[in-house]
Amino acid sequence: MSDQGSGWPFAGRDVPLAAVRGALESGPGVMIAGAAGVGKSRLAAEAVRGLRGRTLVRALGTETAAVIPFGAFAHVLTGPPDSGENPMRWAARSIAGQAGRGRLLVSVDDAHRLDPAAAALVHHLADSGTAQVLVTVRSGEPLPAPIAALWKDELLERIELAPLTRDQVGLVLAGALGGEVTAETVRHLARVSEGNVLYLREIVHAGRTAGSLRQVEGRWCWRGELSVTTRLRELVGDRIGHLEQDEREVLELVSFGEPVGTDLLVSLTSGGAVERVEDRGLIVTVADDGREHVRLGHPLYGEVVRDGCGTLRTRRRLRMLAEALEATGLRRREDVLRAAVWRLDSGSVAAPEMLLSAANLAWARQDPRLAARLGKAAQEAGAGVAAVALVGEVLTVLGDGDEALTALRQAARNAVTEDEVAQHALSVGVALAWAGSDAEACRALELAAGTLTDPAWQQEVFIYRGVVDIFFGRLTGAARWLARARDRGPMTARGAAHAAGLEAWMAAYAGRTARSLAVARDVLTGVDDWRDEAPHALPTLLDAQCAAQVFAGRLEDAARTAEEGMELATGELSVSGFGAYRAMVSRLRGQADEARRWSREDAARLPARTPYLGRCLAELAHACALLGRTDEARATLAEAERLAARWSFTCQPVLQARVWLRAALGDLDAAVSEAIAAADLAEKHEHLGWSMFALHDLVRLGSAPLAADRLEALAGRLDGQLVRPMAAHARAAELADPVGLRAAAVEFERLGLVLYAAEATAQEAAAYLATGRGALARGAQTRAWALARSCPGVTTPALVELATPELTPRQREIVQLAAAGLTNRQIADRLTVSTRTAANHLQAVYDKLGVNDRTEVGRLLTSL
């Protein structure tokens, strides 16, 4: 099947399209190979579209036509062969007769289905040069010998068409749906379709039919499960084909249990059935950590197979899997998790210890919803306080803090053993801190610390107590609690990972970015040793990395880390809101609309009651303010203020957004006052990285004298590449020093902070104008304007006065030729003007742009 003519956009295939067209322009033809539904037919159709000087003959290989010699070409063969004429020569002559004045191009779709005569004909046409040949074939299918010989004998160039990448899926979806698609939706549909265009189209159709794919606030979002429509069932069912009973059993077991150990699957079915299903590409064997597993050949096979099983059959398959895995002894922790889920889904009895162990592992693997489900089942099965504590912690992160605290308080009297007291206290501390109850959280943890005797549990409680201090802006206090934890002696793997997360967090906010990144790097190297024991450590370390990288001016690294954090799970992590950091990176680059998109997407998937939602909404308000969307910024900021007011570590983005909303509304005095208040509060809470940004906002607002001394002092206390150009910018702006402003702008641009570079350059132009150096001012204005062009839609006080250098069409034409290296005489000859006229036009351009030579013009040309 093909998406040709479906109305879907042809996107993401520029490279293979150029390759196919190149082969048709310069050679005898091309073979496009790829999996079913990957888009071979559409690529071939697009490749021949617009080719000039060709007469096109199309043919399609089908099972029906293959029973007739030359069946695929029946529609173009004329008359019977002459008496005694070779059938091959007759067929070739008939096709050659189709050609007009142009070269003949024969395009054959699904050439692997051609009958022997037609296949031989295609080979003859290519080998004899009678026609150019373009064929598509399905990878993995047996080819007629003449078709295989086309590329083996190098008659045609073979191009393998891979499935769409995630980015390409995003392009196709945006075109097909006619609007913005959330990154999470793109990731989901890319995974489910595995980049297969045909499957992607049917999934989108199914999603829109069922309402799972719909527009929310102007963006296409996927919410809910995939509905298996009749069209999708038939499409995938056709690919699966007929299955014998034992083969169906294999596919069902893998569909419900993947990945399934190869030996376990064979024990439940038969080796022969497993091999036959694998030979058909319906399952694949993969090696993973010393084990051999079986997975489905495509995710949609599982969707369709599971949809076709009734409730009783589903439960039977799941019980079979659970019993077989339990019989192996559950030697690995993931075996416990898988067996527990199968037991739960099949409605069969599972031991409370198994359910609780599985819940803890799901929590460590950043799947809080599964952890809550398993934890509640363990609680109902009698797992006791440990299950209540786990469920309480997970519910807190999922935004159900009230329910969590109610259950925890009811279970307090049941906490008797050392383990129960510690687990209960940790969960209560998290829930209270998450709710903004600073004093209560401190009391609960300190009370537990005074009663516990096990050093490992004491260390855990001390670390959590330090986290509470982080939440509420007491870095020195957090450091003391961390020191107390380490004074208790060697730590467990869990304790050491949580301690490293706390230290990396503290160091990042304090501006000791090198230390923060070193701690995170060292502990993340051994992540496999502690990941399953320390659920909070991984997201905390990634969050600390993001903060440290932003404060150090390492924007590329921060963007990668933020995206890694967003992909850990569905956004419901023990520490989340990574979209806020990703938005911050975009904003600093001057891409405010992109920042708006990142923050909106992450805010949409975060629970309603989490401190990190306020951080995302603050970044959204900030981006809206820079774009002049003041109504949206005002409404969003009000919600961010309500959510983030309780926690100092998330309130700084709110304060910074407030500054730029005031500026967007034209109240610069209020904006300056807000920036000073933000800097003062950041320093009070020892958040020196945030203080740096708040002080630099004063410089951007035209109040450098209020910030210069404080930024220079910070430059001696903070790590990283960013604080020094900020301090230099402040001092140069205070002194109206255009050379210093230029140097700061160059450094900002080098670091990727394009918005700051544009603002500093605009201030450079103003400094030159103030001293009457008009030519230098025009040059700075041109550079500032070029940089501002890289910040689409952004307006700040420093940029608002920029003059736009306008060139006439003739001047633009001349400057483009000059930038390409042509001399004045060559330009004159090209445009049929005198050399003097060309020179005069070029000099006028230099004066208008404030530059002196062709080199500077060339650098600015892409922006002008």
Side-chain angles (χ1 to χ4, degrees), residues 809-833 838 842 846 854 857-858 861:
R810 176 62 84 183
Q811 288 172 339
R812 185 177 294 276
E813 189 175 21
I814 287 176
V815 79
Q816 287 174 330
L817 295 172
L822 275 67
T823 65
N824 288 357
R825 177 174 292 279
Q826 290 171 325
I827 293 172
D829 292 342
R830 178 75 61 87
L831 301 179
T832 319
V833 297
L842 197 55
Y846 290 165
R854 286 170 163 78
V857 167
L861 191 59

Side-chain angles (χ1 to χ4, degrees), residues 352 356 378-379 381-389 411 414 420:
L356 181 57
Q379 189 177 337
V385 173
V388 177
N414 300 322
E420 289 173 343

Side-chain angles (χ1 to χ4, degrees), residues 618-631:
E619 277 298 332
L620 175 56
H622 195 151
C624 290
L626 293 177
L627 292 166
R629 305 170 71 109
T630 54
D631 288 343

Side-chain angles (χ1 to χ4, degrees), residues 56-62 64-79 87-88 90-96 98 104-111 113-126 131-135 147 150:
L56 180 63
V57 173
R58 298 182 185 273
L60 173 64
T62 65
T64 302
V67 301
I68 306 170
F70 304 115
F73 292 95
H75 61 292
V76 293
L77 298 180
T78 57
M88 177 71 69
W90 160 74
R93 176 171 55 80
S94 294
I95 291 175
Q98 303 292 319
L104 182 64
L105 171 60
V106 175
S107 176
V108 184
D109 205 11
D110 289 342
R113 291 177 171 169
L114 291 178
D115 66 89
L121 172 61
V122 172
H123 185 277
H124 170 73
L125 293 172
Q132 279 189 305
V133 171
L134 168 61
V135 299
I147 300 300
L150 288 172

Side-chain angles (χ1 to χ4, degrees), residues 582-600:
R582 186 61 185 83
M584 191 176 181
V585 169
S586 295
R587 171 170 57 77
L588 293 170
R589 289 171 170 167
Q591 304 300 307
D593 198 55
E594 184 180 88
R596 179 171 172 266
R597 177 173 60 82
W598 281 112
S599 49
R600 283 180 72 195

Side-chain angles (χ1 to χ4, degrees), residues 460-471:
E460 281 283 315
V461 172
F462 291 158
I463 291 167
Y464 275 56
R465 179 61 183 79
V467 169
V468 175
D469 277 350
I470 285 278
F471 267 46

Side-chain angles (χ1 to χ4, degrees), residues 195-474:
N196 185 293
V197 182
L198 184 57
Y199 288 159
L200 179 64
R201 188 184 70 195
E202 295 306 321
I203 293 168
V204 167
H205 175 78
R208 296 189 69 174
T209 300
S212 302
L213 182 61
R214 59 187 182 274
Q215 277 190 303
V216 179
E217 297 182 357
R219 296 173 302 155
W220 287 94
C221 305
W222 187 282
R223 296 288 183 268
E225 300 297 321
L226 173 64
S227 297
V228 179
T229 61
T230 301
R231 285 172 48 168
L232 188 58
R233 185 183 299 108
E234 291 176 351
L235 174 65
V236 177
D238 181 64
R239 176 66 187 90
I240 292 173
H242 173 73
L243 295 171
E244 299 297 334
Q245 181 59 38
D246 56 352
E247 295 171 341
R248 176 164 292 282
E249 188 170 54
V250 168
L251 198 57
E252 287 178 356
L253 288 168
V254 178
S255 295
F256 284 111
E258 71 169 330
V260 181
T262 305
D263 293 339
L264 184 144
L265 183 61
V266 169
S267 73
L268 289 172
T269 55
S270 72
V274 173
E275 288 178 9
R276 292 196 302 276
V277 177
E278 182 185 33
D279 288 344
R280 293 171 60 175
L282 302 179
I283 59 174
V284 293
T285 304
V286 295
D288 179 26
D289 194 22
R291 276 183 166 183
E292 191 175 78
H293 295 289
V294 174
R295 289 186 176 274
L296 292 170
H298 195 282
L300 287 181
Y301 300 163
E303 297 287 350
V304 170
V305 169
R306 289 189 295 270
D307 183 70
C309 290
T311 301
L312 296 179
R313 189 181 187 89
T314 296
R315 290 176 177 174
R316 178 161 59 87
R317 293 299 187 213
L318 290 169
R319 281 197 302 273
M320 288 174 63
L321 288 164
E323 291 167 359
L325 189 57
E326 289 166 0
T328 68
L330 303 178
R331 294 185 295 272
R332 301 191 184 193
R333 294 197 70 197
E334 58 265 30
D335 291 345
V336 175
L337 175 59
R338 291 162 61 74
V341 172
W342 291 335
R343 284 290 185 190
L344 199 58
D345 289 343
S346 68
S348 54
V349 177
E353 296 80 11
M354 172 193 278
L355 292 169
L356 181 57
S357 178
N360 277 301
L361 187 56
W363 182 217
R365 298 291 172 87
Q366 308 300 330
D367 192 342
R369 294 203 180 278
L370 179 59
R373 181 166 172 251
L374 288 164
K376 287 179 179 179
Q379 189 177 337
E380 292 171 1
V385 173
V388 177
L390 172 65
V391 172
E393 197 167 320
V394 173
L395 288 178
T396 297
V397 169
L398 290 174
D400 296 328
D402 291 342
E403 180 185 343
L405 280 170
T406 298
L408 287 165
R409 284 169 175 151
Q410 290 173 350
R413 61 181 177 272
N414 300 322
V416 177
T417 68
E418 183 103 336
D419 288 354
E420 289 173 343
V421 170
Q423 291 168 339
H424 184 269
L426 295 176
S427 189
V428 168
V430 168
L432 289 170
W434 213 264
S437 301
D438 182 10
E440 283 188 83
C442 292
R443 278 196 301 271
L445 291 167
E446 289 170 18
L447 178 62
T451 60
L452 295 169
T453 59
D454 184 340
W457 280 124
Q458 286 180 327
Q459 289 170 330
E460 281 283 315
V461 172
F462 291 158
I463 291 167
Y464 275 56
R465 179 61 183 79
V467 169
V468 175
D469 277 350
I470 285 278
F471 267 46
F472 297 99
R474 300 184 294 267

